[in-house]
C-alpha cells in the first residue's frame, strides 16, 4: 500500500510540474487555435493546454512506474 501511495504522489507531482512547464514553454509555440488566448495570465490558456496534459500523463506514468516497481535495498 505504501508503494501505491508513493507512486500516486510521484505521478501527481510530475504531472503538475510538466503541465506548468509545458504551458509556459511548449503551448505558445503550438499551432494557434482561434479560441486559445495568447497570454499565460488568462485562465482559458491553461484549460486549452493539451500538450501539457499529454506530456504530463506520459512522464507521470513513467515516474509512477519507476517508483512502484523499484525494489528495496537490503540492509547489510
Amino acid at each position: 500500500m505504501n508503494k501505491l501511495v508513493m507512486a500516486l504522489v510521484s505521478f501527481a507531482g510530475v504531472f503538475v510540474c510538466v503541465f506548468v512547464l509545458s504551458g509556459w514553454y511548449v503551448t505558445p509555440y503550438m499551432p494557434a487555435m482561434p479560441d486559445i488566448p495568447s497570454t499565460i495570465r488568462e485562465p482559458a490558456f491553461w484549460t486549452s493546454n493539451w500538450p501539457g496534459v499529454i506530456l504530463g500523463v506520459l512522464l507521470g506514468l513513467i515516474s509512477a512506474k519507476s517508483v512502484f516497481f523499484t525494489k528495496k535495498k537490503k540492509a547489510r
Side-chain angles (χ1 to χ4, degrees):
M1 186 68 173
N2 190 21
K3 278 191 171 185
L4 181 62
V5 171
M6 289 302 295
L8 289 175
V9 169
S10 172
F11 175 83
V14 169
F15 178 82
V16 168
C17 290
V18 170
F19 183 79
V20 170
L21 289 174
S22 175
W24 283 338
Y25 298 112
V26 176
T27 303
Y29 298 107
M30 297 308 290
M33 298 172 76
D35 58 344
I36 296 177
S38 61
T39 62
I40 293 174
R41 293 185 181 96
E42 296 181 33
F45 180 86
W46 295 102
T47 60
S48 59
N49 184 10
W50 60 268
V53 172
I54 293 170
L55 290 173
V57 167
L58 289 175
L59 294 176
L61 286 174
I62 291 170
S63 175
K65 179 184 171 190
S66 70
V67 168
F68 194 70
F69 290 117
T70 55
K71 295 180 182 178
K72 285 188 175 181
K73 293 182 181 179
K74 293 182 180 180
R76 292 184 186 196

